[in-house]
Amino acid sequence: MAKSLVIVESPAKARTINKYLGRDFLVKASMGHVKDLPKSKLGVDLEHDFEPVFTTIRGKAKVIKELKEAAKKVESIYLAPDLDREGEAIAAHLAEILDDGSHEILRVTFNEITKSAIQEAFAQPGVIDQHKVDAQQARRVLDRLVGYLVSPFLWKVVTYGTSAGRVQTVALRLIVEREEEIEAFKPQEYWTIDANLQGDAGVPFVASLKEVDGKKAQVEDEKTATDIGKRLRSASFTVATVEKKSRRRRPAAPFITSTMQQDSARRLGFSTKKTMMLAQQLYEGIELGDAGPVGLITYMRTDSVRIST
């Protein structure tokens, strides 16, 4: 019988990890979050320091029951959701639900699902990072205070059921303010003047006018541009200085979340949702014949360019 229960987020990850841990470990999936703010009300106590009120997500009662039954049969529980803020919040809620005082509850994190990374993580377990949990809860509170309260307004002016968000709402405000600045801008006419030149070497090049009579060129109308053009046509030109500069191009850094999404859209035409879905599958493990499920990339929700050895 297994001595330890391991809880991850998804069944795919559970299958891959189970292959590396052996018979002493029972690996189960929480299927993502088990608790969240209620859908039908604000879920944030505005009178008491914005305290969030988390409830069991609809449809997760069966998952929780299975995890509790599994916990009764083991000595220790390892919580192994993803290593980001969301994963830490999932681990905190699972610990809250399963902690009956009879188990040792440990937190394990890893940024790749390979045999060496998994074994190292379980050899050095830690505890839940409350700072990450607080950060995730603060994000959810902002979702409600900025998004949830704005959504009913969108139903009146856009479409019923449209959801506002903490990022989109603020971004829209910035766009509106910028548009107001653009509308208030007073256009000012200016002209640029270029000359096609060719030296004794016979190689043509384009020169742009930067100064007139020792002062910065400010060509504000067509008449001024025409007058300068006439002067330039009869002028002689001398190269005053030549500067040589070397350029270095370094290899692109390993992908972080944003650059992966940008390159995927540019090269493959994938949406952000599709990119992250495929990356999650590569991280959790792809079936590779006799080798079984194998994790092929490091954790993809990151701003770090560090890579696995």
Side-chain angles (χ1 to χ4, degrees):
M1 186 175 72
K3 296 179 181 178
S4 300
L5 171 65
V6 180
I7 305 176
V8 297
E9 290 184 40
S10 73
K13 192 189 295 183
R15 287 193 297 272
T16 310
I17 292 175
N18 195 42
K19 181 177 69 171
Y20 299 133
L21 291 179
R23 295 180 181 178
D24 287 340
F25 294 86
L26 173 64
V27 186
K28 292 281 188 179
S30 70
M31 311 297 288
H33 283 276
V34 291
K35 283 190 173 185
D36 197 6
L37 299 176
K39 283 192 173 184
S40 57
K41 55 185 179 180
L42 184 63
V44 178
D45 191 342
L46 302 180
E47 303 299 323
H48 297 89
D49 203 23
F50 303 100
E51 184 70 26
V53 181
F54 290 98
T55 59
T56 301
I57 295 173
R58 187 175 181 180
K60 287 300 179 77
K62 182 180 178 182
V63 174
I64 292 173
K65 183 180 179 182
E66 289 178 357
L67 293 177
K68 284 183 174 181
E69 289 297 322
K72 292 177 182 177
K73 304 172 185 177
V74 297
E75 299 171 4
S76 56
I77 300 173
Y78 291 85
L79 302 174
D82 290 342
L83 64 159
D84 57 9
R85 292 187 300 269
E86 296 297 320
E88 211 69 22
I90 293 171
H93 286 146
L94 288 171
E96 181 184 309
I97 291 168
L98 299 176
D99 189 6
D100 58 2
S102 64
H103 296 95
E104 182 182 23
I105 297 182
L106 302 164
R107 174 77 166 114
V108 289
T109 59
F110 36 84
N111 62 11
E112 61 182 84
I113 302 179
T114 58
K115 186 174 183 178
S116 58
I118 298 300
Q119 290 178 344
E120 182 179 346
F122 278 82
Q124 298 178 338
V127 296
I128 294 170
D129 185 341
Q130 191 58 40
H131 292 301
K132 282 186 179 180
V133 177
D134 292 342
Q136 192 274 346
Q137 292 188 358
R139 186 183 74 84
R140 293 297 289 130
V141 169
L142 272 176
D143 278 333
R144 290 304 170 96
L145 298 183
V146 180
Y148 189 87
L149 296 178
V150 175
S151 294
F153 172 73
L154 288 184
W155 301 347
K156 297 177 183 177
V157 298
V158 184
T159 304
Y160 182 80
T162 304
S163 176
R166 69 189 186 283
V167 175
Q168 297 92 325
T169 305
V170 178
L172 180 59
R173 173 66 179 269
L174 293 172
I175 291 169
V176 170
E177 289 178 350
R178 182 61 176 156
E179 186 64 27
E180 289 173 347
E181 291 176 5
I182 292 170
E183 291 178 355
F185 176 76
K186 295 180 180 180
Q188 185 175 354
E189 184 179 352
Y190 73 95
W191 291 65
T192 59
I193 299 175
D194 295 335
N196 294 313
L197 304 178
Q198 183 172 310
D200 295 336
V203 180
F205 60 94
V206 177
S208 299
L209 180 68
K210 298 297 183 185
E211 294 183 355
V212 177
D213 297 328
K215 297 180 181 178
K216 183 180 178 181
Q218 290 183 316
V219 186
E220 298 177 351
D221 52 50
E222 185 177 2
K223 182 179 182 304
T224 305
T226 302
D227 291 343
I228 294 174
K230 288 178 181 178
R231 289 173 58 186
L232 292 175
R233 284 189 179 90
S234 59
S236 59
F237 298 90
T238 304
V239 176
T241 59
V242 176
E243 290 185 13
K244 290 185 177 181
K245 296 180 180 180
S246 60
R247 282 186 174 183
R248 288 186 177 182
R249 286 192 63 186
R250 300 184 183 277
F255 281 141
I256 60 175
T257 309
S258 57
T259 54
M260 177 183 67
Q261 292 172 352
Q262 291 161 15
D263 228 20
S264 176
R266 184 169 55 249
R267 294 170 181 262
L268 305 172
F270 288 174
S271 66
T272 298
K273 183 178 181 180
K274 183 174 183 178
T275 299
M276 297 309 291
M277 178 188 71
L278 293 172
Q280 184 72 29
Q281 292 172 1
L282 292 172
Y283 168 67
E284 291 179 348
I286 299 293
E287 291 286 343
L288 296 181
D290 294 338
V294 179
L296 298 175
I297 65 170
T298 51
Y299 191 61
M300 80 303 301
R301 293 184 180 87
T302 177
D303 294 323
S304 171
V305 295
R306 289 175 297 175
I307 58 175
S308 165
T309 54

